[in-house]
PDB file of all heavy atoms in Angstrom:
ATOM      1  N   ARG S 399     -52.241  32.711  66.640  1.00 97.00           N
ATOM      2  CA  ARG S 399     -51.432  32.627  67.869  1.00 97.00           C
ATOM      3  C   ARG S 399     -52.273  32.960  69.092  1.00 97.00           C
ATOM      4  O   ARG S 399     -52.162  32.299  70.142  1.00 97.00           O
ATOM      5  CB  ARG S 399     -50.225  33.570  67.770  1.00 97.00           C
ATOM      6  CG  ARG S 399     -49.118  33.062  66.875  1.00 97.00           C
ATOM      7  CD  ARG S 399     -47.839  33.878  67.030  1.00 97.00           C
ATOM      8  NE  ARG S 399     -48.007  35.298  66.757  1.00 97.00           N
ATOM      9  CZ  ARG S 399     -47.887  35.852  65.555  1.00 97.00           C
ATOM     10  NH1 ARG S 399     -47.610  35.100  64.515  1.00 97.00           N
ATOM     11  NH2 ARG S 399     -48.061  37.149  65.400  1.00 97.00           N
ATOM     12  N   ALA S 400     -53.135  33.994  68.975  1.00 97.00           N
ATOM     13  CA  ALA S 400     -53.988  34.357  70.109  1.00 97.00           C
ATOM     14  C   ALA S 400     -54.963  33.229  70.441  1.00 97.00           C
ATOM     15  O   ALA S 400     -55.203  32.930  71.618  1.00 97.00           O
ATOM     16  CB  ALA S 400     -54.747  35.643  69.796  1.00 97.00           C
ATOM     17  N   LYS S 401     -55.494  32.583  69.415  1.00 96.00           N
ATOM     18  CA  LYS S 401     -56.410  31.463  69.633  1.00 96.00           C
ATOM     19  C   LYS S 401     -55.680  30.306  70.317  1.00 96.00           C
ATOM     20  O   LYS S 401     -56.194  29.700  71.270  1.00 96.00           O
ATOM     21  CB  LYS S 401     -57.002  30.998  68.306  1.00 96.00           C
ATOM     22  CG  LYS S 401     -57.908  29.800  68.432  1.00 96.00           C
ATOM     23  CD  LYS S 401     -58.362  29.322  67.064  1.00 96.00           C
ATOM     24  CE  LYS S 401     -59.060  27.982  67.240  1.00 96.00           C
ATOM     25  NZ  LYS S 401     -59.010  27.184  66.059  1.00 96.00           N
ATOM     26  N   SER S 402     -54.481  29.981  69.844  1.00 96.00           N
ATOM     27  CA  SER S 402     -53.698  28.894  70.442  1.00 96.00           C
ATOM     28  C   SER S 402     -53.365  29.210  71.899  1.00 96.00           C
ATOM     29  O   SER S 402     -53.441  28.326  72.773  1.00 96.00           O
ATOM     30  CB  SER S 402     -52.405  28.678  69.662  1.00 96.00           C
ATOM     31  OG  SER S 402     -52.684  28.291  68.353  1.00 96.00           O
ATOM     32  N   LYS S 403     -53.009  30.468  72.177  1.00 96.00           N
ATOM     33  CA  LYS S 403     -52.701  30.872  73.561  1.00 96.00           C
ATOM     34  C   LYS S 403     -53.937  30.776  74.439  1.00 96.00           C
ATOM     35  O   LYS S 403     -53.879  30.286  75.579  1.00 96.00           O
ATOM     36  CB  LYS S 403     -52.151  32.296  73.573  1.00 96.00           C
ATOM     37  CG  LYS S 403     -51.699  32.760  74.950  1.00 96.00           C
ATOM     38  CD  LYS S 403     -51.141  34.152  74.884  1.00 96.00           C
ATOM     39  CE  LYS S 403     -50.648  34.635  76.218  1.00 96.00           C
ATOM     40  NZ  LYS S 403     -51.646  34.725  77.242  1.00 96.00           N
ATOM     41  N   ALA S 404     -55.084  31.203  73.914  1.00 94.00           N
ATOM     42  CA  ALA S 404     -56.324  31.132  74.695  1.00 94.00           C
ATOM     43  C   ALA S 404     -56.698  29.677  74.977  1.00 94.00           C
ATOM     44  O   ALA S 404     -57.117  29.335  76.090  1.00 94.00           O
ATOM     45  CB  ALA S 404     -57.450  31.843  73.958  1.00 94.00           C
ATOM     46  N   GLU S 405     -56.529  28.817  73.981  1.00 93.00           N
ATOM     47  CA  GLU S 405     -56.825  27.395  74.201  1.00 93.00           C
ATOM     48  C   GLU S 405     -55.859  26.783  75.206  1.00 93.00           C
ATOM     49  O   GLU S 405     -56.257  25.987  76.069  1.00 93.00           O
ATOM     50  CB  GLU S 405     -56.762  26.627  72.876  1.00 93.00           C
ATOM     51  CG  GLU S 405     -57.925  26.893  71.965  1.00 93.00           C
ATOM     52  CD  GLU S 405     -57.792  26.200  70.623  1.00 93.00           C
ATOM     53  OE1 GLU S 405     -56.691  25.675  70.314  1.00 93.00           O
ATOM     54  OE2 GLU S 405     -58.790  26.189  69.881  1.00 93.00           O
ATOM     55  N   ALA S 406     -54.581  27.154  75.141  1.00 93.00           N
ATOM     56  CA  ALA S 406     -53.600  26.651  76.103  1.00 93.00           C
ATOM     57  C   ALA S 406     -53.918  27.138  77.505  1.00 93.00           C
ATOM     58  O   ALA S 406     -53.825  26.371  78.490  1.00 93.00           O
ATOM     59  CB  ALA S 406     -52.187  27.070  75.693  1.00 93.00           C
ATOM     60  N   ASP S 407     -54.297  28.422  77.622  1.00 89.00           N
ATOM     61  CA  ASP S 407     -54.677  28.959  78.943  1.00 89.00           C
ATOM     62  C   ASP S 407     -55.896  28.227  79.492  1.00 89.00           C
ATOM     63  O   ASP S 407     -55.961  27.909  80.691  1.00 89.00           O
ATOM     64  CB  ASP S 407     -54.968  30.461  78.842  1.00 89.00           C
ATOM     65  CG  ASP S 407     -53.717  31.281  78.610  1.00 89.00           C
ATOM     66  OD1 ASP S 407     -52.607  30.733  78.778  1.00 89.00           O
ATOM     67  OD2 ASP S 407     -53.860  32.475  78.240  1.00 89.00           O
ATOM     68  N   LEU S 408     -56.877  27.951  78.635  1.00 85.00           N
ATOM     69  CA  LEU S 408     -58.077  27.231  79.068  1.00 85.00           C
ATOM     70  C   LEU S 408     -57.722  25.821  79.521  1.00 85.00           C
ATOM     71  O   LEU S 408     -58.203  25.347  80.561  1.00 85.00           O
ATOM     72  CB  LEU S 408     -59.098  27.195  77.934  1.00 85.00           C
ATOM     73  CG  LEU S 408     -60.421  26.484  78.242  1.00 85.00           C
ATOM     74  CD1 LEU S 408     -61.150  27.169  79.397  1.00 85.00           C
ATOM     75  CD2 LEU S 408     -61.277  26.421  77.004  1.00 85.00           C
ATOM     76  N   GLU S 409     -56.875  25.146  78.738  1.00 86.00           N
ATOM     77  CA  GLU S 409     -56.451  23.804  79.129  1.00 86.00           C
ATOM     78  C   GLU S 409     -55.699  23.832  80.454  1.00 86.00           C
ATOM     79  O   GLU S 409     -55.864  22.944  81.294  1.00 86.00           O
ATOM     80  CB  GLU S 409     -55.573  23.188  78.024  1.00 86.00           C
ATOM     81  CG  GLU S 409     -56.305  22.860  76.746  1.00 86.00           C
ATOM     82  CD  GLU S 409     -57.357  21.781  76.926  1.00 86.00           C
ATOM     83  OE1 GLU S 409     -57.165  20.875  77.765  1.00 86.00           O
ATOM     84  OE2 GLU S 409     -58.389  21.842  76.240  1.00 86.00           O
ATOM     85  N   ALA S 410     -54.881  24.857  80.662  1.00 85.00           N
ATOM     86  CA  ALA S 410     -54.140  24.990  81.915  1.00 85.00           C
ATOM     87  C   ALA S 410     -55.094  25.230  83.087  1.00 85.00           C
ATOM     88  O   ALA S 410     -54.921  24.661  84.172  1.00 85.00           O
ATOM     89  CB  ALA S 410     -53.122  26.108  81.815  1.00 85.00           C
ATOM     90  N   ARG S 411     -56.110  26.047  82.892  1.00 79.00           N
ATOM     91  CA  ARG S 411     -57.087  26.296  83.960  1.00 79.00           C
ATOM     92  C   ARG S 411     -57.892  25.044  84.261  1.00 79.00           C
ATOM     93  O   ARG S 411     -58.199  24.757  85.430  1.00 79.00           O
ATOM     94  CB  ARG S 411     -58.017  27.436  83.555  1.00 79.00           C
ATOM     95  CG  ARG S 411     -57.300  28.788  83.650  1.00 79.00           C
ATOM     96  CD  ARG S 411     -58.135  29.969  83.204  1.00 79.00           C
ATOM     97  NE  ARG S 411     -59.478  29.967  83.710  1.00 79.00           N
ATOM     98  CZ  ARG S 411     -60.538  30.476  83.048  1.00 79.00           C
ATOM     99  NH1 ARG S 411     -60.365  31.005  81.855  1.00 79.00           N
ATOM    100  NH2 ARG S 411     -61.731  30.460  83.578  1.00 79.00           N
ATOM    101  N   ILE S 412     -58.222  24.300  83.202  1.00 75.00           N
ATOM    102  CA  ILE S 412     -58.966  23.053  83.424  1.00 75.00           C
ATOM    103  C   ILE S 412     -58.093  22.050  84.170  1.00 75.00           C
ATOM    104  O   ILE S 412     -58.553  21.376  85.102  1.00 75.00           O
ATOM    105  CB  ILE S 412     -59.458  22.473  82.081  1.00 75.00           C
ATOM    106  CG1 ILE S 412     -60.563  23.361  81.510  1.00 75.00           C
ATOM    107  CG2 ILE S 412     -59.950  21.038  82.244  1.00 75.00           C
ATOM    108  CD1 ILE S 412     -60.998  22.979  80.110  1.00 75.00           C
TER     109      ILE S 412
END
Side-chain angles (χ1 to χ4, degrees):
R399 284 192 302 272
K401 177 185 170 205
S402 298
K403 185 179 182 298
E405 287 176 349
D407 289 347
L408 181 61
E409 291 295 327
R411 286 177 45 212
I412 290 173

